Amino acid sequence: MNQVLKVGVIGAGGIANGVHFPSLREIADTGEIALCAVCDTHIEKASAAKEKYGFERLYTNHYEMLDHEELDAVWILVEPDKTYRVAHDVIAAGRNCLLEKPAGITAYQAHSLARQAAEKGVVCGSAMNRRAVPLVQHVLKRMREVTEFTQVDGLFIKYSDVASGWHYASAFVCDIVHAVDLVRYLADSEPEKAATVIARNNSPVDNAWSSVIRFRNGITGTLRSNYQSAGRVHDFTIHGPGATAFINLGFGSAACEATIMYGNGKTQYSISAAGVTGPSIEKIDGLEIAGGELYHQYYGYKSEDIDFLNAVRTGGKPICPIEDAAKTMDMVELLLASAI
């Protein structure tokens, strides 16, 4: 039987209560981990987490938690502008850690954390959960079996006041980074060139970005984001000769489903032409693939938590190691610097 890993969490806010606490509680119920400590500067949040999810002890100061607890793994679930400081302290204390996205609010911070983790020999991952969505992994494997990718497209739009919601850093850096990361992950390459149109719609700060990208391996990509729409729309498309996959991660509400279109091997100029036969279509249910209907189960949060714990046990790499998250931050900054 696996050794029980001692887990601590720093940050008991929305993302913790929404997805990570339920996920960790389910994993703890299997006997694989012990929820030893929770820390938040607001004692009422730490107390509520301790009572609801069964943490053994609570703290309001992460330095005290690190001094008093022998932890195998620490979840860092604080606001993005606080992530670097807390992660630096956790790594300096020699603890393995998983950071909620982004891995710092600049590429410099992310690369700094990557260097520190390597020097201390700790496992450090970034919670880019879209990679860990079971549906995404399933579609990616299926598409790689049947075609060579030529283009990947990402879309992430919402309705929100980013000037107040993301007041300490750009929403593109702190939120759209999810889509940047998955486009880069699907392309399996680094961006070579890019051009971005940036707009301000009813906002004193930038709140819309449309990018075209060429990756070093020849794949082209697009990324579109906008905070002045009817609501949340989140999807990704993968194209290759003979197959196209459409991954729907939300249209107005949460979603997790995919459609793969397999070509019939014939050139098709127009569906209105006489004698045209359609391609075959495969529908995929993301909840069925995940084996659970709760948001944290099918949307990648539990998968990334389990993946990180496995990396801690083996000393291997999580699905998004800190050094790879730093490369995503490089791409974020490239896209912003490539404004036209």
Side-chain angles (χ1 to χ4, degrees), residues 112-141:
S112 177
L113 291 175
R115 291 194 302 272
Q116 293 170 44
E119 290 169 1
K120 295 294 287 188
V122 302
V123 177
C124 181
S126 178
M128 294 294 188
N129 74 293
R130 303 318 192 259
R131 296 186 182 200
V133 172
L135 174 70
V136 170
Q137 288 296 320
H138 178 87
V139 171
L140 188 55
K141 179 177 183 296

PDB file of all heavy atoms in Angstrom, residues 112-141:
ATOM      1  N   SER A 112      11.787  32.064 -12.341  1.00  0.00           N
ATOM      2  CA  SER A 112      12.482  32.109 -11.051  1.00  0.00           C
ATOM      3  C   SER A 112      12.063  30.942 -10.165  1.00  0.00           C
ATOM      4  O   SER A 112      12.900  30.271  -9.550  1.00  0.00           O
ATOM      5  CB  SER A 112      12.188  33.439 -10.351  1.00  0.00           C
ATOM      6  OG  SER A 112      12.788  33.479  -9.065  1.00  0.00           O
ATOM      7  N   LEU A 113      10.758  30.662 -10.109  1.00  0.00           N
ATOM      8  CA  LEU A 113      10.269  29.540  -9.316  1.00  0.00           C
ATOM      9  C   LEU A 113      10.789  28.217  -9.870  1.00  0.00           C
ATOM     10  O   LEU A 113      11.109  27.293  -9.109  1.00  0.00           O
ATOM     11  CB  LEU A 113       8.750  29.536  -9.281  1.00  0.00           C
ATOM     12  CG  LEU A 113       8.091  30.683  -8.498  1.00  0.00           C
ATOM     13  CD1 LEU A 113       6.573  30.621  -8.652  1.00  0.00           C
ATOM     14  CD2 LEU A 113       8.467  30.640  -7.013  1.00  0.00           C
ATOM     15  N   ALA A 114      10.878  28.113 -11.199  1.00  0.00           N
ATOM     16  CA  ALA A 114      11.392  26.889 -11.810  1.00  0.00           C
ATOM     17  C   ALA A 114      12.840  26.650 -11.406  1.00  0.00           C
ATOM     18  O   ALA A 114      13.238  25.519 -11.088  1.00  0.00           O
ATOM     19  CB  ALA A 114      11.263  26.970 -13.327  1.00  0.00           C
ATOM     20  N   ARG A 115      13.633  27.711 -11.399  1.00  0.00           N
ATOM     21  CA  ARG A 115      15.041  27.568 -10.986  1.00  0.00           C
ATOM     22  C   ARG A 115      15.132  27.165  -9.521  1.00  0.00           C
ATOM     23  O   ARG A 115      15.923  26.289  -9.139  1.00  0.00           O
ATOM     24  CB  ARG A 115      15.789  28.883 -11.214  1.00  0.00           C
ATOM     25  CG  ARG A 115      16.006  29.245 -12.662  1.00  0.00           C
ATOM     26  CD  ARG A 115      17.024  30.364 -12.808  1.00  0.00           C
ATOM     27  NE  ARG A 115      16.643  31.576 -12.081  1.00  0.00           N
ATOM     28  CZ  ARG A 115      15.889  32.542 -12.593  1.00  0.00           C
ATOM     29  NH1 ARG A 115      15.406  32.417 -13.835  1.00  0.00           N
ATOM     30  NH2 ARG A 115      15.583  33.623 -11.898  1.00  0.00           N
ATOM     31  N   GLN A 116      14.312  27.803  -8.674  1.00  0.00           N
ATOM     32  CA  GLN A 116      14.347  27.489  -7.247  1.00  0.00           C
ATOM     33  C   GLN A 116      13.945  26.047  -6.980  1.00  0.00           C
ATOM     34  O   GLN A 116      14.566  25.346  -6.163  1.00  0.00           O
ATOM     35  CB  GLN A 116      13.421  28.440  -6.493  1.00  0.00           C
ATOM     36  CG  GLN A 116      13.868  29.899  -6.497  1.00  0.00           C
ATOM     37  CD  GLN A 116      12.786  30.824  -5.956  1.00  0.00           C
ATOM     38  OE1 GLN A 116      12.155  30.522  -4.956  1.00  0.00           O
ATOM     39  NE2 GLN A 116      12.558  31.944  -6.625  1.00  0.00           N
ATOM     40  N   ALA A 117      12.903  25.575  -7.673  1.00  0.00           N
ATOM     41  CA  ALA A 117      12.444  24.200  -7.480  1.00  0.00           C
ATOM     42  C   ALA A 117      13.518  23.205  -7.897  1.00  0.00           C
ATOM     43  O   ALA A 117      13.739  22.184  -7.226  1.00  0.00           O
ATOM     44  CB  ALA A 117      11.159  23.962  -8.267  1.00  0.00           C
ATOM     45  N   ALA A 118      14.193  23.498  -9.004  1.00  0.00           N
ATOM     46  CA  ALA A 118      15.259  22.613  -9.469  1.00  0.00           C
ATOM     47  C   ALA A 118      16.411  22.585  -8.468  1.00  0.00           C
ATOM     48  O   ALA A 118      16.973  21.519  -8.175  1.00  0.00           O
ATOM     49  CB  ALA A 118      15.759  23.070 -10.839  1.00  0.00           C
ATOM     50  N   GLU A 119      16.763  23.736  -7.923  1.00  0.00           N
ATOM     51  CA  GLU A 119      17.864  23.805  -6.960  1.00  0.00           C
ATOM     52  C   GLU A 119      17.541  23.058  -5.671  1.00  0.00           C
ATOM     53  O   GLU A 119      18.416  22.422  -5.082  1.00  0.00           O
ATOM     54  CB  GLU A 119      18.179  25.279  -6.653  1.00  0.00           C
ATOM     55  CG  GLU A 119      18.819  26.018  -7.815  1.00  0.00           C
ATOM     56  CD  GLU A 119      18.872  27.522  -7.596  1.00  0.00           C
ATOM     57  OE1 GLU A 119      18.424  27.985  -6.510  1.00  0.00           O
ATOM     58  OE2 GLU A 119      19.327  28.240  -8.504  1.00  0.00           O
ATOM     59  N   LYS A 120      16.292  23.134  -5.227  1.00  0.00           N
ATOM     60  CA  LYS A 120      15.886  22.466  -3.990  1.00  0.00           C
ATOM     61  C   LYS A 120      15.506  21.000  -4.210  1.00  0.00           C
ATOM     62  O   LYS A 120      15.334  20.245  -3.249  1.00  0.00           O
ATOM     63  CB  LYS A 120      14.704  23.199  -3.355  1.00  0.00           C
ATOM     64  CG  LYS A 120      15.021  24.607  -2.876  1.00  0.00           C
ATOM     65  CD  LYS A 120      16.017  24.620  -1.723  1.00  0.00           C
ATOM     66  CE  LYS A 120      15.407  24.156  -0.428  1.00  0.00           C
ATOM     67  NZ  LYS A 120      16.299  24.344   0.731  1.00  0.00           N
ATOM     68  N   GLY A 121      15.341  20.604  -5.473  1.00  0.00           N
ATOM     69  CA  GLY A 121      14.980  19.234  -5.770  1.00  0.00           C
ATOM     70  C   GLY A 121      13.567  18.863  -5.379  1.00  0.00           C
ATOM     71  O   GLY A 121      13.296  17.719  -4.996  1.00  0.00           O
ATOM     72  N   VAL A 122      12.642  19.823  -5.460  1.00  0.00           N
ATOM     73  CA  VAL A 122      11.245  19.550  -5.115  1.00  0.00           C
ATOM     74  C   VAL A 122      10.399  19.458  -6.376  1.00  0.00           C
ATOM     75  O   VAL A 122      10.743  20.007  -7.429  1.00  0.00           O
ATOM     76  CB  VAL A 122      10.665  20.634  -4.172  1.00  0.00           C
ATOM     77  CG1 VAL A 122      11.491  20.734  -2.890  1.00  0.00           C
ATOM     78  CG2 VAL A 122      10.600  21.989  -4.875  1.00  0.00           C
ATOM     79  N   VAL A 123       9.296  18.748  -6.266  1.00  0.00           N
ATOM     80  CA  VAL A 123       8.321  18.681  -7.358  1.00  0.00           C
ATOM     81  C   VAL A 123       7.436  19.916  -7.274  1.00  0.00           C
ATOM     82  O   VAL A 123       6.835  20.191  -6.235  1.00  0.00           O
ATOM     83  CB  VAL A 123       7.457  17.415  -7.250  1.00  0.00           C
ATOM     84  CG1 VAL A 123       6.393  17.407  -8.351  1.00  0.00           C
ATOM     85  CG2 VAL A 123       8.318  16.163  -7.326  1.00  0.00           C
ATOM     86  N   CYS A 124       7.375  20.670  -8.352  1.00  0.00           N
ATOM     87  CA  CYS A 124       6.553  21.882  -8.387  1.00  0.00           C
ATOM     88  C   CYS A 124       5.745  21.869  -9.675  1.00  0.00           C
ATOM     89  O   CYS A 124       6.303  21.770 -10.773  1.00  0.00           O
ATOM     90  CB  CYS A 124       7.428  23.134  -8.317  1.00  0.00           C
ATOM     91  SG  CYS A 124       6.494  24.687  -8.334  1.00  0.00           S
ATOM     92  N   GLY A 125       4.434  21.939  -9.527  1.00  0.00           N
ATOM     93  CA  GLY A 125       3.552  21.943 -10.694  1.00  0.00           C
ATOM     94  C   GLY A 125       2.657  23.154 -10.719  1.00  0.00           C
ATOM     95  O   GLY A 125       2.444  23.814  -9.699  1.00  0.00           O
ATOM     96  N   SER A 126       2.140  23.438 -11.905  1.00  0.00           N
ATOM     97  CA  SER A 126       1.193  24.535 -12.075  1.00  0.00           C
ATOM     98  C   SER A 126      -0.155  23.936 -12.458  1.00  0.00           C
ATOM     99  O   SER A 126      -0.226  23.028 -13.294  1.00  0.00           O
ATOM    100  CB  SER A 126       1.673  25.495 -13.163  1.00  0.00           C
ATOM    101  OG  SER A 126       0.744  26.542 -13.368  1.00  0.00           O
ATOM    102  N   ALA A 127      -1.219  24.426 -11.845  1.00  0.00           N
ATOM    103  CA  ALA A 127      -2.554  23.842 -12.035  1.00  0.00           C
ATOM    104  C   ALA A 127      -3.216  24.361 -13.308  1.00  0.00           C
ATOM    105  O   ALA A 127      -4.229  25.052 -13.269  1.00  0.00           O
ATOM    106  CB  ALA A 127      -3.422  24.125 -10.811  1.00  0.00           C
ATOM    107  N   MET A 128      -2.637  24.011 -14.443  1.00  0.00           N
ATOM    108  CA  MET A 128      -3.255  24.304 -15.735  1.00  0.00           C
ATOM    109  C   MET A 128      -4.245  23.179 -16.017  1.00  0.00           C
ATOM    110  O   MET A 128      -3.972  22.251 -16.773  1.00  0.00           O
ATOM    111  CB  MET A 128      -2.183  24.396 -16.819  1.00  0.00           C
ATOM    112  CG  MET A 128      -1.242  25.560 -16.636  1.00  0.00           C
ATOM    113  SD  MET A 128      -2.083  27.150 -16.843  1.00  0.00           S
ATOM    114  CE  MET A 128      -0.662  28.267 -16.801  1.00  0.00           C
ATOM    115  N   ASN A 129      -5.415  23.257 -15.398  1.00  0.00           N
ATOM    116  CA  ASN A 129      -6.306  22.098 -15.342  1.00  0.00           C
ATOM    117  C   ASN A 129      -6.886  21.688 -16.681  1.00  0.00           C
ATOM    118  O   ASN A 129      -7.325  20.547 -16.849  1.00  0.00           O
ATOM    119  CB  ASN A 129      -7.456  22.347 -14.358  1.00  0.00           C
ATOM    120  CG  ASN A 129      -8.486  23.303 -14.908  1.00  0.00           C
ATOM    121  OD1 ASN A 129      -8.199  24.484 -15.110  1.00  0.00           O
ATOM    122  ND2 ASN A 129      -9.690  22.816 -15.166  1.00  0.00           N
ATOM    123  N   ARG A 130      -6.906  22.576 -17.687  1.00  0.00           N
ATOM    124  CA  ARG A 130      -7.476  22.174 -18.970  1.00  0.00           C
ATOM    125  C   ARG A 130      -6.695  21.001 -19.569  1.00  0.00           C
ATOM    126  O   ARG A 130      -7.268  20.140 -20.227  1.00  0.00           O
ATOM    127  CB  ARG A 130      -7.494  23.333 -19.968  1.00  0.00           C
ATOM    128  CG  ARG A 130      -8.221  24.623 -19.572  1.00  0.00           C
ATOM    129  CD  ARG A 130      -9.545  24.456 -18.872  1.00  0.00           C
ATOM    130  NE  ARG A 130     -10.252  25.711 -18.805  1.00  0.00           N
ATOM    131  CZ  ARG A 130     -10.317  26.513 -17.728  1.00  0.00           C
ATOM    132  NH1 ARG A 130      -9.724  26.158 -16.596  1.00  0.00           N
ATOM    133  NH2 ARG A 130     -10.992  27.644 -17.753  1.00  0.00           N
ATOM    134  N   ARG A 131      -5.391  20.959 -19.339  1.00  0.00           N
ATOM    135  CA  ARG A 131      -4.600  19.820 -19.811  1.00  0.00           C
ATOM    136  C   ARG A 131      -5.102  18.507 -19.200  1.00  0.00           C
ATOM    137  O   ARG A 131      -5.049  17.454 -19.837  1.00  0.00           O
ATOM    138  CB  ARG A 131      -3.134  19.973 -19.398  1.00  0.00           C
ATOM    139  CG  ARG A 131      -2.382  21.127 -19.976  1.00  0.00           C
ATOM    140  CD  ARG A 131      -0.926  21.036 -19.567  1.00  0.00           C
ATOM    141  NE  ARG A 131      -0.124  22.158 -20.049  1.00  0.00           N
ATOM    142  CZ  ARG A 131       1.192  22.142 -20.155  1.00  0.00           C
ATOM    143  NH1 ARG A 131       1.862  21.062 -19.796  1.00  0.00           N
ATOM    144  NH2 ARG A 131       1.844  23.191 -20.600  1.00  0.00           N
ATOM    145  N   ALA A 132      -5.525  18.589 -17.940  1.00  0.00           N
ATOM    146  CA  ALA A 132      -5.867  17.389 -17.182  1.00  0.00           C
ATOM    147  C   ALA A 132      -7.321  16.959 -17.347  1.00  0.00           C
ATOM    148  O   ALA A 132      -7.718  15.932 -16.795  1.00  0.00           O
ATOM    149  CB  ALA A 132      -5.563  17.613 -15.697  1.00  0.00           C
ATOM    150  N   VAL A 133      -8.114  17.718 -18.085  1.00  0.00           N
ATOM    151  CA  VAL A 133      -9.500  17.305 -18.323  1.00  0.00           C
ATOM    152  C   VAL A 133      -9.475  15.940 -19.010  1.00  0.00           C
ATOM    153  O   VAL A 133      -8.876  15.802 -20.088  1.00  0.00           O
ATOM    154  CB  VAL A 133     -10.241  18.339 -19.205  1.00  0.00           C
ATOM    155  CG1 VAL A 133     -11.617  17.815 -19.604  1.00  0.00           C
ATOM    156  CG2 VAL A 133     -10.349  19.675 -18.480  1.00  0.00           C
ATOM    157  N   PRO A 134     -10.086  14.914 -18.429  1.00  0.00           N
ATOM    158  CA  PRO A 134     -10.044  13.586 -19.048  1.00  0.00           C
ATOM    159  C   PRO A 134     -10.491  13.577 -20.503  1.00  0.00           C
ATOM    160  O   PRO A 134      -9.930  12.863 -21.339  1.00  0.00           O
ATOM    161  CB  PRO A 134     -10.971  12.760 -18.154  1.00  0.00           C
ATOM    162  CG  PRO A 134     -10.849  13.407 -16.807  1.00  0.00           C
ATOM    163  CD  PRO A 134     -10.744  14.879 -17.099  1.00  0.00           C
ATOM    164  N   LEU A 135     -11.498  14.384 -20.828  1.00  0.00           N
ATOM    165  CA  LEU A 135     -11.964  14.477 -22.205  1.00  0.00           C
ATOM    166  C   LEU A 135     -10.864  14.982 -23.124  1.00  0.00           C
ATOM    167  O   LEU A 135     -10.662  14.464 -24.232  1.00  0.00           O
ATOM    168  CB  LEU A 135     -13.179  15.404 -22.286  1.00  0.00           C
ATOM    169  CG  LEU A 135     -13.696  15.706 -23.696  1.00  0.00           C
ATOM    170  CD1 LEU A 135     -14.343  14.469 -24.306  1.00  0.00           C
ATOM    171  CD2 LEU A 135     -14.679  16.873 -23.679  1.00  0.00           C
ATOM    172  N   VAL A 136     -10.150  16.020 -22.713  1.00  0.00           N
ATOM    173  CA  VAL A 136      -9.069  16.582 -23.524  1.00  0.00           C
ATOM    174  C   VAL A 136      -8.000  15.521 -23.787  1.00  0.00           C
ATOM    175  O   VAL A 136      -7.532  15.353 -24.923  1.00  0.00           O
ATOM    176  CB  VAL A 136      -8.460  17.818 -22.842  1.00  0.00           C
ATOM    177  CG1 VAL A 136      -7.171  18.255 -23.548  1.00  0.00           C
ATOM    178  CG2 VAL A 136      -9.464  18.966 -22.810  1.00  0.00           C
ATOM    179  N   GLN A 137      -7.616  14.786 -22.749  1.00  0.00           N
ATOM    180  CA  GLN A 137      -6.615  13.738 -22.922  1.00  0.00           C
ATOM    181  C   GLN A 137      -7.111  12.650 -23.872  1.00  0.00           C
ATOM    182  O   GLN A 137      -6.347  12.136 -24.705  1.00  0.00           O
ATOM    183  CB  GLN A 137      -6.248  13.146 -21.562  1.00  0.00           C
ATOM    184  CG  GLN A 137      -5.424  14.072 -20.687  1.00  0.00           C
ATOM    185  CD  GLN A 137      -4.057  14.383 -21.297  1.00  0.00           C
ATOM    186  OE1 GLN A 137      -3.399  13.516 -21.868  1.00  0.00           O
ATOM    187  NE2 GLN A 137      -3.629  15.637 -21.168  1.00  0.00           N
ATOM    188  N   HIS A 138      -8.378  12.294 -23.759  1.00  0.00           N
ATOM    189  CA  HIS A 138      -8.962  11.263 -24.624  1.00  0.00           C
ATOM    190  C   HIS A 138      -8.951  11.708 -26.085  1.00  0.00           C
ATOM    191  O   HIS A 138      -8.540  10.946 -26.977  1.00  0.00           O
ATOM    192  CB  HIS A 138     -10.395  10.970 -24.170  1.00  0.00           C
ATOM    193  CG  HIS A 138     -11.105   9.958 -25.012  1.00  0.00           C
ATOM    194  ND1 HIS A 138     -11.019   8.599 -24.779  1.00  0.00           N
ATOM    195  CD2 HIS A 138     -11.923  10.106 -26.103  1.00  0.00           C
ATOM    196  CE1 HIS A 138     -11.740   7.958 -25.677  1.00  0.00           C
ATOM    197  NE2 HIS A 138     -12.311   8.845 -26.483  1.00  0.00           N
ATOM    198  N   VAL A 139      -9.402  12.937 -26.332  1.00  0.00           N
ATOM    199  CA  VAL A 139      -9.457  13.448 -27.701  1.00  0.00           C
ATOM    200  C   VAL A 139      -8.054  13.595 -28.271  1.00  0.00           C
ATOM    201  O   VAL A 139      -7.805  13.253 -29.442  1.00  0.00           O
ATOM    202  CB  VAL A 139     -10.217  14.785 -27.749  1.00  0.00           C
ATOM    203  CG1 VAL A 139     -10.080  15.438 -29.123  1.00  0.00           C
ATOM    204  CG2 VAL A 139     -11.680  14.586 -27.399  1.00  0.00           C
ATOM    205  N   LEU A 140      -7.139  14.086 -27.472  1.00  0.00           N
ATOM    206  CA  LEU A 140      -5.757  14.275 -27.936  1.00  0.00           C
ATOM    207  C   LEU A 140      -5.149  12.940 -28.362  1.00  0.00           C
ATOM    208  O   LEU A 140      -4.517  12.836 -29.424  1.00  0.00           O
ATOM    209  CB  LEU A 140      -4.934  14.913 -26.815  1.00  0.00           C
ATOM    210  CG  LEU A 140      -3.520  15.370 -27.144  1.00  0.00           C
ATOM    211  CD1 LEU A 140      -3.510  16.323 -28.323  1.00  0.00           C
ATOM    212  CD2 LEU A 140      -2.895  16.038 -25.919  1.00  0.00           C
ATOM    213  N   LYS A 141      -5.347  11.907 -27.561  1.00  0.00           N
ATOM    214  CA  LYS A 141      -4.828  10.577 -27.895  1.00  0.00           C
ATOM    215  C   LYS A 141      -5.473  10.046 -29.171  1.00  0.00           C
ATOM    216  O   LYS A 141      -4.783   9.519 -30.064  1.00  0.00           O
ATOM    217  CB  LYS A 141      -5.091   9.614 -26.742  1.00  0.00           C
ATOM    218  CG  LYS A 141      -4.609   8.181 -26.972  1.00  0.00           C
ATOM    219  CD  LYS A 141      -4.857   7.333 -25.730  1.00  0.00           C
ATOM    220  CE  LYS A 141      -4.326   5.913 -25.915  1.00  0.00           C
ATOM    221  NZ  LYS A 141      -5.024   5.179 -26.982  1.00  0.00           N
TER     222      LYS A 141
END
